[in-house]
Amino acid sequence: MRFVIQPLALLSLVFSIASYAETNFLLRGTWALKENTQSFQDFGQNHQRFEGDGLRLSQAVISTNQRLFDDWTLSGALNAYSDGEERLNVSQLYIKYRPLGASSIKPEVKVGAFYPAISAENTDIAWLSPHFLTNSAINSWIGEELRTGGVELSFRQNGRQVRSNWSWKVLASLFKGNDSTGTLLSWRGFALHDRQSLYNDRVNFLPIPGVIDEDKLDAPAWTEPFREIDNRFGYYFGTHVAYKRSAEIRYYYYDNNADANAVDPDRIYAWHTRFHSLTLRYLPRPELTLFSQLLYGDTLMGENIVDNDFASAYVAAALNLNAVGLKDLTAAARIDWYRVSDNDNTTYDPNGSRGYAFTFSVKYDVTSHFFITTEWQLNSGHQENLRFFQPNEKYTEHLFQVALTAKL
């Protein structure tokens, strides 16, 4: 099942009831310098987003929250890129019901297409990061292969309402789509970039012989992340606990409940994918933010044709340099680790990979609406299926970026 949305419909909605809307516009041009290796988006070996050096339109976003009635809000994000297969469409579109009431425990219902609130780094508009141009390995993958197309019910309590230092939230969701989640982790491995998959999007990867050959798996070298294949519901549940405004922990369990033996006419396989996610965020001082995330899970396709465990973690820090006399500057650093473990005996389709990445970023606030960000990243590791395309399984990727962002 394809989720077909006309981008102009959202655009017209943005401007039609502007008096009730909170709307943000973001435009980002990025100059990137990298090795001269082909990106996975062009069926290449590189785990980074862009193809070669040069200037790109990396982000163009309209993000809006429309108050329809006192208790109802319509939210959406329309994205445009200069790369990828689908270059203009929505990444999120949902209705939120948050009724007013005297009780300290507040319910909320979300219906539509949206992200589970797993990330501690993607806290800016339209699920962007305020600190980095490139997402962590975990959230690069979530931005590629995960989106809730369904309903989420939550209950929350703000500690200030009950004179407590502690606030909490519990939630659960049922959704469809995401049946192919796990494809990219298994056949490409973790990547690091900031491109979110759009609805009706297609993500390419290296054409591995054991995957595309007709006498092997006979699958295409691409996936559609939000395709419905088996007509089964997936689910997740989670909890948030926060202490004042200085610390928060989030736990999620996700299961797409896919039928691992299902395959559609395009030879897109369903993958039964499950994971645990633990997120931490801590502000020891107003100018310093520390955040981290741990992901552990597994994915299965067919009768043990592909059986992989996967894990990733990062630790990051962002420091407002005003505290040391450097006005309008913010520095951020992150260390990533990731791994995919191949547990099956399908010798023509090796899936194991592992690696680490270091990312350093500095943002300068030119004005309250214009920002210049520079970022350097090293991503290095091993990927077993690279042996079909090069003499060994190793890769080392350097990326330097300079971005100008306008945010209105």
Side-chain angles (χ1 to χ4, degrees):
M1 179 180 68
R2 291 168 66 90
F3 189 161
V4 181
I5 296 173
Q6 294 294 332
L8 290 179
L10 180 58
L11 274 173
S12 63
L13 186 61
V14 167
F15 295 109
S16 63
I17 48 177
S19 60
Y20 290 89
E22 175 191 337
T23 302
N24 295 284
F25 302 85
L26 183 143
L27 188 67
R28 176 176 294 161
T30 301
W31 179 78
L33 180 65
K34 61 182 286 293
E35 285 91 2
N36 189 26
T37 53
Q38 199 167 356
S39 167
F40 68 90
Q41 292 201 101
D42 292 304
F43 305 99
Q45 299 160 237
N46 195 285
H47 299 81
Q48 294 163 342
R49 172 181 175 181
F50 297 119
E51 182 69 18
D53 303 339
L55 184 64
R56 306 288 194 281
L57 174 64
S58 56
Q59 299 288 343
V61 177
I62 300 174
S63 176
T64 186
N65 294 292
Q66 312 266 355
R67 182 168 58 84
L68 303 178
F69 309 102
D70 288 342
D71 301 336
W72 295 84
T73 305
L74 174 65
S75 299
L78 176 67
N79 302 64
Y81 304 119
S82 62
D83 59 327
E85 297 294 328
E86 185 80 4
R87 301 195 177 189
L88 175 66
N89 213 320
V90 297
S91 57
Q92 300 183 73
L93 185 62
Y94 60 92
I95 291 176
K96 181 167 62 178
Y97 173 63
R98 180 181 283 187
L100 301 175
S103 173
S104 65
I105 298 177
K106 309 290 187 182
E108 179 180 297
V109 180
K110 293 166 70 173
V111 180
F114 52 90
Y115 285 101
I118 289 175
S119 177
E121 65 175 339
N122 299 82
T123 56
D124 207 347
I125 66 165
W127 211 74
L128 297 175
S129 169
H131 305 301
F132 296 101
L133 299 176
T134 305
N135 293 331
S136 64
I138 293 174
N139 291 302
S140 296
W141 173 61
I142 289 174
E144 289 176 319
E145 288 206 283
L146 253 70
R147 213 65 44 85
T148 301
V151 58
E152 180 187 280
L153 171 65
S154 65
F155 295 91
R156 72 191 188 283
Q157 184 180 74
N158 190 319
R160 289 177 295 173
Q161 287 190 275
V162 292
R163 297 183 180 180
S164 171
N165 291 326
W166 296 90
S167 301
W168 57 266
K169 180 178 182 179
V170 293
L171 57 94
S173 173
L174 286 174
F175 60 87
K176 281 198 170 184
N178 285 193
D179 287 346
S180 62
T181 299
T183 305
L184 293 175
L185 287 186
S186 299
W187 288 340
R188 183 209 57 197
F190 283 96
L192 290 100
H193 59 87
D194 64 334
R195 190 188 187 280
Q196 302 171 49
S197 295
L198 308 179
Y199 273 89
N200 293 343
D201 214 341
R202 178 176 290 185
V203 183
N204 303 321
F205 54 84
L206 200 61
I208 305 155
V211 173
I212 65 171
D213 286 356
E214 292 184 2
D215 60 341
K216 301 293 193 309
L217 295 178
D218 190 24
W222 50 265
T223 182
E224 288 187 359
F226 313 131
R227 182 178 288 204
E228 178 60 43
I229 298 173
D230 60 7
N231 292 316
R232 292 164 62 166
F233 283 96
Y235 67 91
Y236 63 80
F237 57 82
T239 184
H240 304 187
V241 179
Y243 178 74
K244 296 183 177 179
R245 294 187 177 181
S246 62
E248 184 181 28
I249 183 170
R250 298 183 183 185
Y251 167 77
Y252 279 73
Y253 177 74
Y254 172 97
D255 187 341
N256 72 350
N257 193 37
D259 178 359
N261 294 308
V263 59
D264 77 357
D266 290 328
R267 302 294 298 173
I268 300 294
Y269 289 88
W271 299 65
H272 185 194
T273 299
R274 309 173 296 181
F275 65 78
H276 302 269
S277 173
L278 184 66
T279 301
L280 303 171
R281 190 176 184 88
Y282 177 50
L283 282 73
R285 299 194 302 271
E287 67 274 11
L288 177 62
T289 303
L290 307 176
F291 48 105
S292 180
Q293 188 171 359
L294 172 66
L295 184 83
Y296 179 79
D298 55 61
T299 187
L300 177 69
M301 188 273 282
E303 294 288 348
N304 208 43
I305 295 174
V306 180
D307 180 4
N308 296 329
D309 295 334
F310 57 87
S312 184
Y314 72 82
V315 291
L319 177 64
N320 187 329
L321 296 177
N322 281 339
V324 294
L326 298 175
K327 188 178 180 182
D328 300 323
L329 285 173
T330 302
R334 186 182 65 229
I335 302 174
D336 282 90
W337 167 86
Y338 52 86
R339 184 192 70 208
V340 177
S341 300
D342 190 345
N343 302 320
D344 58 72
N345 296 316
T346 309
T347 56
Y348 58 79
D349 180 31
N351 307 131
S353 61
R354 66 186 188 276
Y356 61 87
F358 300 98
T359 307
F360 300 95
S361 178
V362 176
K363 184 178 74 169
Y364 172 58
D365 298 351
V366 180
T367 70
S368 59
H369 298 292
F370 293 92
F371 317 94
I372 296 174
T373 307
T374 60
E375 184 174 283
W376 173 82
Q377 182 178 90
L378 168 67
N379 181 31
S380 183
H382 292 71
Q383 182 175 324
E384 291 178 354
N385 57 29
L386 288 181
R387 71 176 71 141
F388 300 117
F389 304 92
Q390 61 185 40
N392 56 57
E393 301 173 0
K394 296 181 180 180
Y395 60 88
T396 300
E397 300 164 353
H398 297 267
L399 176 64
F400 179 74
Q401 300 181 85
V402 179
L404 174 62
T405 304
K407 186 176 179 183
L408 306 172

